[in-house]
Amino acid sequence: MRIAVDADKLTRFPARGTQRTTIGLYRALAARRPDWEFLFFYQVDPWQNWFADRPNIKPVRVDMPGDRFRGSLNLWLQVRLPFAVMSSRADVLHCPFGTAPRFAGAPKIATIHDLTPMDFAPTRPDVARWLRNIRSAARTSAAIVTASEYAKDQLVSRLAIQ
């Protein structure tokens, strides 16, 4: 089994919350499934190798020079990542941070942790863009993973995701 992971947020932000959860998940999964291959796709260095002792986890830098529309279009997520996933012949793409490409190059699993930004700043442009990305990820994924039953109920009731 070859699993592609959108690991871009692991290099863009300090490891806390969802990043730590993702690191812990894949450290455990790689240990339990040594015959599986995990490809961690990211765009921006530096890569901090939390998985140095897991030979079946491979960081893969996929750059997109000139990606100046990252905030609005995010061509890396929508174009470059799916192409890399397809080229890698991954069996599945896991998007652990809520957002996901519309077309992934492999069946897609999205993890959506919560809808908290909707409660605090629903009219802010960045929150509206985030919400569009969450909706798209949820509707185009083969499966959705949530952190809790509450998060699942919120997806169903607030976004009409089944």
Side-chain angles (χ1 to χ4, degrees):
M1 169 80 67
R2 180 175 287 158
I3 299 174
V5 179
D6 174 1
D8 199 45
K9 285 190 175 61
L10 291 179
T11 63
R12 293 186 180 274
F13 305 102
R16 57 180 197 217
T18 58
Q19 289 93 341
R20 285 188 184 193
T21 300
T22 301
I23 292 164
L25 168 71
Y26 279 100
R27 284 189 54 72
L29 193 54
R32 291 186 63 99
R33 299 289 187 204
D35 55 323
W36 289 8
E37 183 179 20
F38 302 90
L39 304 173
F40 274 57
F41 292 104
Y42 70 99
Q43 182 180 10
V44 177
D45 277 330
W47 174 261
Q48 182 177 342
N49 201 350
W50 299 277
F51 310 107
D53 60 334
R54 301 289 192 266
N56 54 338
I57 295 181
K58 297 174 179 66
V60 180
R61 184 168 187 233
V62 179
D63 200 2
M64 184 162 194
D67 188 5
R68 62 182 176 199
F69 302 108
R70 184 158 183 87
S72 56
L73 298 176
N74 198 344
L75 294 175
W76 186 87
L77 179 70
Q78 298 300 334
V79 177
R80 194 64 181 98
L81 176 63
F83 182 74
V85 169
M86 189 171 37
S87 296
S88 75
R89 296 188 157 159
D91 296 300
V92 66
L93 169 64
H94 179 214
C95 299
F97 304 109
T99 59
R102 187 169 184 85
F103 304 102
K108 175 175 52 183
I109 298 171
T111 298
I112 300 174
H113 296 272
D114 60 45
L115 298 177
T116 303
M118 288 178 66
D119 297 331
F120 296 105
T123 59
R124 276 187 15 200
D126 60 327
V127 173
R129 185 173 46 250
W130 170 83
L131 184 56
R132 282 192 304 274
N133 288 333
I134 292 292
R135 243 190 211 113
S136 175
R139 290 193 172 132
T140 62
S141 293
I144 301 167
V145 176
T146 60
S148 66
E149 282 296 317
Y150 178 78
K152 175 185 169 189
D153 293 344
Q154 291 294 298
L155 281 171
V156 170
S157 67
R158 296 175 86 175
L159 300 183
I161 303 298
Q162 297 298 322

mmCIF file of all heavy atoms in Angstrom, residues 110-148:
data_model
loop_
_atom_site.group_PDB
_atom_site.id
_atom_site.type_symbol
_atom_site.label_atom_id
_atom_site.label_comp_id
_atom_site.label_asym_id
_atom_site.label_seq_id
_atom_site.Cartn_x
_atom_site.Cartn_y
_atom_site.Cartn_z
ATOM 1 N N ALA A 110 -10.126 12.963 3.696
ATOM 2 C CA ALA A 110 -9.892 14.247 4.353
ATOM 3 C C ALA A 110 -10.180 14.121 5.840
ATOM 4 O O ALA A 110 -11.171 13.507 6.233
ATOM 5 C CB ALA A 110 -10.784 15.326 3.752
ATOM 6 N N THR A 111 -9.296 14.692 6.639
ATOM 7 C CA THR A 111 -9.552 14.803 8.073
ATOM 8 C C THR A 111 -10.000 16.226 8.346
ATOM 9 O O THR A 111 -9.307 17.179 7.984
ATOM 10 C CB THR A 111 -8.295 14.483 8.904
ATOM 11 O OG1 THR A 111 -7.918 13.129 8.641
ATOM 12 C CG2 THR A 111 -8.567 14.649 10.387
ATOM 13 N N ILE A 112 -11.172 16.355 8.940
ATOM 14 C CA ILE A 112 -11.709 17.667 9.296
ATOM 15 C C ILE A 112 -11.862 17.667 10.812
ATOM 16 O O ILE A 112 -12.663 16.917 11.374
ATOM 17 C CB ILE A 112 -13.043 17.950 8.573
ATOM 18 C CG1 ILE A 112 -12.808 17.901 7.060
ATOM 19 C CG2 ILE A 112 -13.610 19.296 9.018
ATOM 20 C CD1 ILE A 112 -14.051 18.010 6.216
ATOM 21 N N HIS A 113 -11.054 18.487 11.461
ATOM 22 C CA HIS A 113 -10.993 18.466 12.923
ATOM 23 C C HIS A 113 -12.170 19.172 13.574
ATOM 24 O O HIS A 113 -12.686 18.709 14.583
ATOM 25 C CB HIS A 113 -9.668 19.062 13.397
ATOM 26 C CG HIS A 113 -8.504 18.243 12.956
ATOM 27 N ND1 HIS A 113 -8.022 17.199 13.695
ATOM 28 C CD2 HIS A 113 -7.758 18.283 11.830
ATOM 29 C CE1 HIS A 113 -7.023 16.631 13.049
ATOM 30 N NE2 HIS A 113 -6.830 17.273 11.928
ATOM 31 N N ASP A 114 -12.576 20.306 13.029
ATOM 32 C CA ASP A 114 -13.709 21.037 13.602
ATOM 33 C C ASP A 114 -14.100 22.175 12.663
ATOM 34 O O ASP A 114 -13.472 22.393 11.641
ATOM 35 C CB ASP A 114 -13.390 21.576 14.999
ATOM 36 C CG ASP A 114 -12.210 22.530 15.010
ATOM 37 O OD1 ASP A 114 -12.138 23.417 14.134
ATOM 38 O OD2 ASP A 114 -11.351 22.390 15.896
ATOM 39 N N LEU A 115 -15.159 22.879 13.050
ATOM 40 C CA LEU A 115 -15.644 24.034 12.285
ATOM 41 C C LEU A 115 -15.575 25.305 13.130
ATOM 42 O O LEU A 115 -16.320 26.252 12.891
ATOM 43 C CB LEU A 115 -17.088 23.785 11.819
ATOM 44 C CG LEU A 115 -17.288 22.592 10.888
ATOM 45 C CD1 LEU A 115 -18.771 22.420 10.559
ATOM 46 C CD2 LEU A 115 -16.468 22.727 9.627
ATOM 47 N N THR A 116 -14.682 25.338 14.077
ATOM 48 C CA THR A 116 -14.576 26.440 15.027
ATOM 49 C C THR A 116 -14.504 27.825 14.392
ATOM 50 O O THR A 116 -15.157 28.751 14.888
ATOM 51 C CB THR A 116 -13.376 26.212 15.971
ATOM 52 O OG1 THR A 116 -13.567 24.962 16.620
ATOM 53 C CG2 THR A 116 -13.260 27.314 16.998
ATOM 54 N N PRO A 117 -13.747 28.040 13.323
ATOM 55 C CA PRO A 117 -13.703 29.395 12.745
ATOM 56 C C PRO A 117 -15.083 29.948 12.365
ATOM 57 O O PRO A 117 -15.296 31.158 12.409
ATOM 58 C CB PRO A 117 -12.813 29.234 11.519
ATOM 59 C CG PRO A 117 -11.907 28.107 11.883
ATOM 60 C CD PRO A 117 -12.784 27.159 12.670
ATOM 61 N N MET A 118 -16.030 29.071 12.052
ATOM 62 C CA MET A 118 -17.387 29.532 11.726
ATOM 63 C C MET A 118 -18.053 30.200 12.927
ATOM 64 O O MET A 118 -18.911 31.056 12.763
ATOM 65 C CB MET A 118 -18.258 28.354 11.267
ATOM 66 C CG MET A 118 -17.906 27.820 9.902
ATOM 67 S SD MET A 118 -18.947 26.409 9.463
ATOM 68 C CE MET A 118 -20.556 27.169 9.347
ATOM 69 N N ASP A 119 -17.668 29.803 14.132
ATOM 70 C CA ASP A 119 -18.281 30.347 15.341
ATOM 71 C C ASP A 119 -17.746 31.719 15.713
ATOM 72 O O ASP A 119 -18.442 32.507 16.342
ATOM 73 C CB ASP A 119 -18.062 29.393 16.525
ATOM 74 C CG ASP A 119 -18.737 28.058 16.312
ATOM 75 O OD1 ASP A 119 -19.766 28.014 15.606
ATOM 76 O OD2 ASP A 119 -18.219 27.052 16.839
ATOM 77 N N PHE A 120 -16.503 32.002 15.359
ATOM 78 C CA PHE A 120 -15.864 33.226 15.822
ATOM 79 C C PHE A 120 -15.782 34.341 14.788
ATOM 80 O O PHE A 120 -15.818 35.511 15.148
ATOM 81 C CB PHE A 120 -14.458 32.912 16.354
ATOM 82 C CG PHE A 120 -14.503 32.026 17.565
ATOM 83 C CD1 PHE A 120 -14.173 30.685 17.473
ATOM 84 C CD2 PHE A 120 -14.919 32.524 18.786
ATOM 85 C CE1 PHE A 120 -14.229 29.866 18.585
ATOM 86 C CE2 PHE A 120 -14.977 31.716 19.899
ATOM 87 C CZ PHE A 120 -14.640 30.378 19.805
ATOM 88 N N ALA A 121 -15.631 33.990 13.527
ATOM 89 C CA ALA A 121 -15.453 35.033 12.504
ATOM 90 C C ALA A 121 -16.011 34.577 11.160
ATOM 91 O O ALA A 121 -15.290 34.532 10.170
ATOM 92 C CB ALA A 121 -13.978 35.386 12.384
ATOM 93 N N PRO A 122 -17.288 34.240 11.097
ATOM 94 C CA PRO A 122 -17.830 33.649 9.866
ATOM 95 C C PRO A 122 -17.806 34.577 8.649
ATOM 96 O O PRO A 122 -17.853 34.100 7.518
ATOM 97 C CB PRO A 122 -19.265 33.288 10.248
ATOM 98 C CG PRO A 122 -19.594 34.183 11.390
ATOM 99 C CD PRO A 122 -18.303 34.406 12.120
ATOM 100 N N THR A 123 -17.714 35.880 8.864
ATOM 101 C CA THR A 123 -17.758 36.798 7.722
ATOM 102 C C THR A 123 -16.379 37.256 7.250
ATOM 103 O O THR A 123 -16.291 37.946 6.239
ATOM 104 C CB THR A 123 -18.601 38.048 8.068
ATOM 105 O OG1 THR A 123 -18.025 38.695 9.208
ATOM 106 C CG2 THR A 123 -20.046 37.653 8.367
ATOM 107 N N ARG A 124 -15.327 36.895 7.967
ATOM 108 C CA ARG A 124 -13.977 37.277 7.526
ATOM 109 C C ARG A 124 -13.648 36.585 6.205
ATOM 110 O O ARG A 124 -13.970 35.403 6.021
ATOM 111 C CB ARG A 124 -12.938 36.883 8.568
ATOM 112 C CG ARG A 124 -12.789 37.898 9.648
ATOM 113 C CD ARG A 124 -11.665 37.659 10.611
ATOM 114 N NE ARG A 124 -10.654 36.693 10.219
ATOM 115 C CZ ARG A 124 -9.843 36.103 11.085
ATOM 116 N NH1 ARG A 124 -9.915 36.370 12.372
ATOM 117 N NH2 ARG A 124 -8.945 35.237 10.680
ATOM 118 N N PRO A 125 -13.018 37.278 5.278
ATOM 119 C CA PRO A 125 -12.703 36.674 3.975
ATOM 120 C C PRO A 125 -11.860 35.397 4.070
ATOM 121 O O PRO A 125 -12.119 34.434 3.339
ATOM 122 C CB PRO A 125 -11.935 37.772 3.237
ATOM 123 C CG PRO A 125 -12.378 39.040 3.874
ATOM 124 C CD PRO A 125 -12.655 38.698 5.308
ATOM 125 N N ASP A 126 -10.881 35.365 4.982
ATOM 126 C CA ASP A 126 -10.061 34.162 5.098
ATOM 127 C C ASP A 126 -10.867 32.984 5.649
ATOM 128 O O ASP A 126 -10.665 31.833 5.247
ATOM 129 C CB ASP A 126 -8.807 34.411 5.932
ATOM 130 C CG ASP A 126 -9.118 34.867 7.349
ATOM 131 O OD1 ASP A 126 -10.132 35.563 7.564
ATOM 132 O OD2 ASP A 126 -8.325 34.541 8.259
ATOM 133 N N VAL A 127 -11.815 33.255 6.526
ATOM 134 C CA VAL A 127 -12.669 32.188 7.060
ATOM 135 C C VAL A 127 -13.641 31.702 5.985
ATOM 136 O O VAL A 127 -13.879 30.499 5.850
ATOM 137 C CB VAL A 127 -13.414 32.639 8.335
ATOM 138 C CG1 VAL A 127 -14.427 31.596 8.788
ATOM 139 C CG2 VAL A 127 -12.408 32.931 9.442
ATOM 140 N N ALA A 128 -14.172 32.623 5.194
ATOM 141 C CA ALA A 128 -15.068 32.238 4.092
ATOM 142 C C ALA A 128 -14.323 31.351 3.087
ATOM 143 O O ALA A 128 -14.864 30.343 2.612
ATOM 144 C CB ALA A 128 -15.631 33.476 3.406
ATOM 145 N N ARG A 129 -13.075 31.690 2.781
ATOM 146 C CA ARG A 129 -12.257 30.887 1.855
ATOM 147 C C ARG A 129 -11.980 29.515 2.479
ATOM 148 O O ARG A 129 -12.088 28.483 1.820
ATOM 149 C CB ARG A 129 -10.965 31.626 1.541
ATOM 150 C CG ARG A 129 -10.096 30.956 0.510
ATOM 151 C CD ARG A 129 -8.899 31.778 0.070
ATOM 152 N NE ARG A 129 -8.158 32.382 1.150
ATOM 153 C CZ ARG A 129 -8.130 33.694 1.421
ATOM 154 N NH1 ARG A 129 -8.814 34.543 0.686
ATOM 155 N NH2 ARG A 129 -7.408 34.150 2.430
ATOM 156 N N TRP A 130 -11.640 29.498 3.780
ATOM 157 C CA TRP A 130 -11.406 28.240 4.486
ATOM 158 C C TRP A 130 -12.648 27.355 4.431
ATOM 159 O O TRP A 130 -12.560 26.154 4.173
ATOM 160 C CB TRP A 130 -11.018 28.555 5.934
ATOM 161 C CG TRP A 130 -10.988 27.362 6.830
ATOM 162 C CD1 TRP A 130 -9.976 26.477 6.983
ATOM 163 C CD2 TRP A 130 -12.043 26.920 7.693
ATOM 164 N NE1 TRP A 130 -10.330 25.511 7.895
ATOM 165 C CE2 TRP A 130 -11.591 25.763 8.335
ATOM 166 C CE3 TRP A 130 -13.325 27.400 7.969
ATOM 167 C CZ2 TRP A 130 -12.380 25.073 9.255
ATOM 168 C CZ3 TRP A 130 -14.109 26.720 8.881
ATOM 169 C CH2 TRP A 130 -13.634 25.566 9.506
ATOM 170 N N LEU A 131 -13.814 27.965 4.662
ATOM 171 C CA LEU A 131 -15.060 27.204 4.656
ATOM 172 C C LEU A 131 -15.352 26.609 3.271
ATOM 173 O O LEU A 131 -15.781 25.466 3.161
ATOM 174 C CB LEU A 131 -16.228 28.082 5.120
ATOM 175 C CG LEU A 131 -17.580 27.383 5.240
ATOM 176 C CD1 LEU A 131 -17.498 26.180 6.175
ATOM 177 C CD2 LEU A 131 -18.625 28.377 5.727
ATOM 178 N N ARG A 132 -15.095 27.377 2.220
ATOM 179 C CA ARG A 132 -15.257 26.834 0.859
ATOM 180 C C ARG A 132 -14.345 25.634 0.664
ATOM 181 O O ARG A 132 -14.749 24.629 0.069
ATOM 182 C CB ARG A 132 -14.964 27.911 -0.191
ATOM 183 C CG ARG A 132 -16.084 28.895 -0.390
ATOM 184 C CD ARG A 132 -15.875 29.755 -1.627
ATOM 185 N NE ARG A 132 -14.605 30.476 -1.630
ATOM 186 C CZ ARG A 132 -14.388 31.662 -1.063
ATOM 187 N NH1 ARG A 132 -15.389 32.272 -0.442
ATOM 188 N NH2 ARG A 132 -13.219 32.244 -1.126
ATOM 189 N N ASN A 133 -13.110 25.735 1.155
ATOM 190 C CA ASN A 133 -12.167 24.622 1.025
ATOM 191 C C ASN A 133 -12.631 23.401 1.820
ATOM 192 O O ASN A 133 -12.519 22.268 1.345
ATOM 193 C CB ASN A 133 -10.770 25.045 1.494
ATOM 194 C CG ASN A 133 -10.102 25.980 0.522
ATOM 195 O OD1 ASN A 133 -10.389 25.959 -0.668
ATOM 196 N ND2 ASN A 133 -9.215 26.816 1.014
ATOM 197 N N ILE A 134 -13.139 23.621 3.019
ATOM 198 C CA ILE A 134 -13.639 22.514 3.848
ATOM 199 C C ILE A 134 -14.822 21.836 3.154
ATOM 200 O O ILE A 134 -14.889 20.608 3.065
ATOM 201 C CB ILE A 134 -14.059 23.019 5.256
ATOM 202 C CG1 ILE A 134 -12.838 23.470 6.045
ATOM 203 C CG2 ILE A 134 -14.874 21.979 6.019
ATOM 204 C CD1 ILE A 134 -11.894 22.365 6.441
ATOM 205 N N ARG A 135 -15.759 22.630 2.664
ATOM 206 C CA ARG A 135 -16.936 22.087 1.958
ATOM 207 C C ARG A 135 -16.502 21.253 0.762
ATOM 208 O O ARG A 135 -16.991 20.141 0.551
ATOM 209 C CB ARG A 135 -17.818 23.236 1.479
ATOM 210 C CG ARG A 135 -19.139 23.236 2.082
ATOM 211 C CD ARG A 135 -20.079 24.232 1.430
ATOM 212 N NE ARG A 135 -20.960 24.655 2.473
ATOM 213 C CZ ARG A 135 -21.006 25.860 2.992
ATOM 214 N NH1 ARG A 135 -20.255 26.805 2.529
ATOM 215 N NH2 ARG A 135 -21.829 26.131 3.976
ATOM 216 N N SER A 136 -15.597 21.795 -0.034
ATOM 217 C CA SER A 136 -15.117 21.086 -1.218
ATOM 218 C C SER A 136 -14.416 19.786 -0.832
ATOM 219 O O SER A 136 -14.655 18.738 -1.433
ATOM 220 C CB SER A 136 -14.173 21.989 -2.014
ATOM 221 O OG SER A 136 -13.616 21.276 -3.084
ATOM 222 N N ALA A 137 -13.555 19.851 0.173
ATOM 223 C CA ALA A 137 -12.848 18.649 0.619
ATOM 224 C C ALA A 137 -13.833 17.583 1.082
ATOM 225 O O ALA A 137 -13.706 16.406 0.731
ATOM 226 C CB ALA A 137 -11.874 18.992 1.745
ATOM 227 N N ALA A 138 -14.821 17.994 1.843
ATOM 228 C CA ALA A 138 -15.802 17.040 2.370
ATOM 229 C C ALA A 138 -16.641 16.416 1.253
ATOM 230 O O ALA A 138 -16.920 15.218 1.277
ATOM 231 C CB ALA A 138 -16.706 17.731 3.386
ATOM 232 N N ARG A 139 -17.009 17.199 0.286
ATOM 233 C CA ARG A 139 -17.900 16.699 -0.781
ATOM 234 C C ARG A 139 -17.172 15.865 -1.826
ATOM 235 O O ARG A 139 -17.799 15.080 -2.517
ATOM 236 C CB ARG A 139 -18.617 17.863 -1.433
ATOM 237 C CG ARG A 139 -19.625 18.473 -0.479
ATOM 238 C CD ARG A 139 -20.573 19.422 -1.156
ATOM 239 N NE ARG A 139 -21.602 19.800 -0.199
ATOM 240 C CZ ARG A 139 -21.980 21.033 0.029
ATOM 241 N NH1 ARG A 139 -21.430 22.030 -0.642
ATOM 242 N NH2 ARG A 139 -22.919 21.290 0.912
ATOM 243 N N THR A 140 -15.872 16.048 -1.970
ATOM 244 C CA THR A 140 -15.146 15.323 -3.018
ATOM 245 C C THR A 140 -14.282 14.187 -2.476
ATOM 246 O O THR A 140 -13.582 13.543 -3.242
ATOM 247 C CB THR A 140 -14.263 16.287 -3.846
ATOM 248 O OG1 THR A 140 -13.294 16.891 -2.990
ATOM 249 C CG2 THR A 140 -15.107 17.350 -4.532
ATOM 250 N N SER A 141 -14.335 13.927 -1.186
ATOM 251 C CA SER A 141 -13.516 12.871 -0.585
ATOM 252 C C SER A 141 -14.250 11.542 -0.577
ATOM 253 O O SER A 141 -15.470 11.496 -0.418
ATOM 254 C CB SER A 141 -13.134 13.247 0.846
ATOM 255 O OG SER A 141 -12.263 14.346 0.835
ATOM 256 N N ALA A 142 -13.490 10.481 -0.718
ATOM 257 C CA ALA A 142 -14.068 9.140 -0.621
ATOM 258 C C ALA A 142 -14.481 8.844 0.818
ATOM 259 O O ALA A 142 -15.407 8.077 1.063
ATOM 260 C CB ALA A 142 -13.059 8.105 -1.106
ATOM 261 N N ALA A 143 -13.774 9.460 1.772
ATOM 262 C CA ALA A 143 -14.086 9.290 3.191
ATOM 263 C C ALA A 143 -13.652 10.539 3.947
ATOM 264 O O ALA A 143 -12.758 11.253 3.517
ATOM 265 C CB ALA A 143 -13.370 8.068 3.762
ATOM 266 N N ILE A 144 -14.322 10.768 5.076
ATOM 267 C CA ILE A 144 -13.992 11.896 5.944
ATOM 268 C C ILE A 144 -13.704 11.336 7.336
ATOM 269 O O ILE A 144 -14.475 10.523 7.849
ATOM 270 C CB ILE A 144 -15.153 12.905 6.031
ATOM 271 C CG1 ILE A 144 -15.498 13.451 4.650
ATOM 272 C CG2 ILE A 144 -14.806 14.042 6.988
ATOM 273 C CD1 ILE A 144 -16.812 14.203 4.610
ATOM 274 N N VAL A 145 -12.610 11.795 7.922
ATOM 275 C CA VAL A 145 -12.264 11.430 9.287
ATOM 276 C C VAL A 145 -12.487 12.672 10.137
ATOM 277 O O VAL A 145 -12.073 13.765 9.756
ATOM 278 C CB VAL A 145 -10.786 10.981 9.395
ATOM 279 C CG1 VAL A 145 -10.410 10.686 10.830
ATOM 280 C CG2 VAL A 145 -10.531 9.787 8.493
ATOM 281 N N THR A 146 -13.153 12.507 11.269
ATOM 282 C CA THR A 146 -13.333 13.624 12.191
ATOM 283 C C THR A 146 -12.687 13.271 13.528
ATOM 284 O O THR A 146 -12.490 12.100 13.840
ATOM 285 C CB THR A 146 -14.823 13.962 12.422
ATOM 286 O OG1 THR A 146 -15.475 12.814 12.962
ATOM 287 C CG2 THR A 146 -15.498 14.392 11.136
ATOM 288 N N ALA A 147 -12.389 14.301 14.287
ATOM 289 C CA ALA A 147 -11.732 14.099 15.576
ATOM 290 C C ALA A 147 -12.707 13.662 16.660
ATOM 291 O O ALA A 147 -12.281 13.173 17.708
ATOM 292 C CB ALA A 147 -11.018 15.383 15.998
ATOM 293 N N SER A 148 -14.002 13.857 16.419
ATOM 294 C CA SER A 148 -14.993 13.528 17.446
ATOM 295 C C SER A 148 -16.374 13.367 16.813
ATOM 296 O O SER A 148 -16.599 13.772 15.668
ATOM 297 C CB SER A 148 -15.055 14.654 18.489
ATOM 298 O OG SER A 148 -15.546 15.843 17.883
#
